[in-house]
Amino acid sequence: MKYIVLVVCLLLVSLAAGYWQDTTRPPATAQTGYGKAAIGGAFTLNDTNGTAFSDTNLKGHFSLIYFGFTHCPDICPTSLLNITHALEQLGAQGDDIMPVFVTLDPERDTQQVLHEYISHFHPRMVGLTGTAEQTKQIADAYKVYYSKTSLENSALSYTINHTGYIYLMDKNGEYLAHFAHDISDQALAQKISALIAH
Amino acid sequence: MPRLAAFLSIAAVSLFASATWAASPASVQVQDAYAYPNVSGSTVAAAFALLKNTSEMPCELTHASSNIATVEMHDMTESNGIMNMTPRSSIPLAAGARFSFAPGYSHLMLIDLKHDLAPDDHFTVLLDFGTCGTVHQDFVVKPRP
């Protein structure tokens, strides 16, 4: 009888301990899980002033990162403008978010070209470019697919086919969320606001 | 009788000729032609329009040109999250068919712009529809939404 009481007590204590640990979040179910996406990581590029910019520069504030290239006539400018408008709509919340544009075409998108290009978007937007190896390093870290593709019968000798997600990183420079390139500015602002509010 | 025969012959020839005559240039209507400004620092831009083949003959957009830039027809497709831009040599338009150059999809890419495009600017693009004729289409530059 004593053993039964002891076992029951131990069981109750362990259950209570388990409840206490999990009280901060609901349990995982078949539809949800927990864990950090393996997106983000070490990289080193240069900003448009020629200053080195690495993953450590993402710490201390949120970051909204988009990968593209300046010879992209339609999608990239639209996405960058939506990012700009979303940050404006976020007001004070937006002040703590650094918008970043990383070129996947460092051959054509030099610091000078990028400097002019990003000046037409959010005033705090950082433009990053580097060597082919540095570009590959950040693309690999962010799981960005990109491919320099030769074009025949075109005034463009090549284009860059690529994935076009917008990445939200937290104040530790770690992945928070990603959004499709065609998300509207209003939807982007709403989703970011909800994610960084707590 | 000879006059009637002559008349009928001329009528027959005329009908035959009109049947094999190329569709008039008005066979393809171009509507809602516009472009977004380029981002200064980049000399490329995208232009859009709706093409309608209003004839009963097949037409084909074989070439586009302008004095402000090199113009190319491009598809923009997305597969597994990867965006691919691909030049096209022509756009077929079956009788009665439509084709849309629209943001996020196919576009007329303007390459090596001779000057920046600003909202309310206008420029002309010569659209060559082969035997269906050519259209000198005015495009207006609109601000990006």
Side-chain angles (χ1 to χ4, degrees):
Chain A
M1 184 61 185
K2 284 183 184 177
Y3 283 120
I4 292 172
V5 170
L6 181 62
V7 166
V8 169
C9 285
L10 284 173
L11 191 63
L12 288 172
V13 166
S14 63
L15 280 173
Y19 172 78
W20 190 254
Q21 278 182 346
D22 289 342
T23 195
T24 56
R25 66 183 192 191
T29 69
Q31 288 80 36
T32 61
Y34 297 96
K36 287 269 190 188
I39 289 176
F43 68 86
T44 302
L45 291 161
N46 288 319
D47 67 16
T48 55
N49 296 316
T51 305
F53 189 103
S54 74
D55 50 291
T56 57
N57 291 100
L58 299 180
K59 296 181 191 292
H61 47 254
F62 295 98
S63 306
L64 202 54
I65 306 176
Y66 185 71
F67 294 79
F69 62 114
T70 68
H71 275 69
C72 168
D74 180 18
I75 304 291
C76 298
T78 299
S79 299
L80 290 173
L81 197 61
N82 284 337
I83 287 170
T84 297
H85 290 159
L87 292 177
E88 290 167 351
Q89 289 165 25
L90 282 166
Q93 270 188 316
D95 292 344
D96 203 19
I97 303 173
M98 172 191 283
V100 180
F101 177 54
V102 180
T103 183
L104 297 168
D105 185 11
E107 272 183 67
R108 289 185 294 209
D109 295 344
T110 62
Q111 288 168 16
Q112 186 180 6
V113 165
L114 267 190
H115 185 81
E116 170 67 20
Y117 190 83
I118 64 170
S119 70
H120 298 280
F121 300 105
H122 196 280
R124 282 204 316 282
M125 185 170 289
V126 174
L128 298 179
T129 185
T131 65
E133 292 72 24
Q134 290 172 327
T135 302
K136 183 177 186 307
Q137 182 188 31
I138 189 173
D140 287 349
Y142 283 78
K143 305 294 188 286
V144 172
Y145 169 88
Y146 71 110
S147 169
K148 180 182 173 183
T149 306
S150 296
L151 297 178
E152 292 182 7
N153 304 314
S154 173
L156 299 170
S157 59
Y158 66 88
T159 188
I160 308 288
N161 294 326
H162 64 102
T163 50
Y165 299 106
I166 304 168
Y167 301 91
L168 177 65
M169 311 301 280
D170 68 15
K171 293 188 177 186
N172 294 318
E174 295 182 351
Y175 172 83
L176 253 184
H178 67 275
F179 313 98
H181 67 86
D182 57 353
I183 187 170
S184 72
D185 49 359
Q186 298 98 324
L188 183 58
Q190 285 168 6
K191 288 179 186 292
I192 291 174
S193 181
L195 284 163
I196 69 174
H198 51 270
Chain B
M1 199 59 185
R3 282 186 185 175
L4 179 61
F7 173 76
L8 288 174
S9 300
I10 292 169
V13 169
S14 299
L15 280 172
F16 178 75
S18 66
T20 56
W21 199 270
S24 71
S27 298
V28 181
Q29 292 181 3
V30 181
Q31 296 178 352
D32 302 325
Y34 69 98
Y36 288 143
N38 62 303
V39 179
S40 185
S42 171
T43 56
V44 300
F48 312 100
L50 174 62
L51 311 180
K52 293 183 183 178
N53 181 358
T54 59
S55 76
E56 294 178 357
M57 296 178 57
C59 297
E60 189 174 30
L61 177 60
T62 59
H63 189 64
S65 60
S66 176
N67 60 3
I68 68 151
T70 298
V71 186
E72 293 180 4
M73 298 172 270
H74 284 190
D75 279 339
M76 220 300 293
T77 56
E78 188 165 342
S79 175
N80 296 323
I82 301 169
M83 295 180 288
N84 297 291
M85 194 170 75
T86 312
R88 286 185 68 162
S89 57
S90 66
I91 309 280
L93 277 165
R98 299 178 172 203
F99 183 87
S100 186
F101 291 108
Y105 300 97
S106 302
H107 55 259
L108 291 166
M109 186 162 176
L110 309 177
I111 302 167
D112 296 328
L113 281 163
K114 292 187 169 61
H115 58 79
D116 286 342
L117 297 179
D120 297 329
D121 280 354
H122 286 258
F123 60 93
T124 302
V125 176
L126 177 70
L127 297 166
D128 188 344
F129 293 98
T131 55
C132 291
T134 58
V135 174
H136 288 77
Q137 181 61 40
D138 177 74
F139 283 71
V140 64
V141 181
K142 295 183 182 180
R144 205 176 290 270

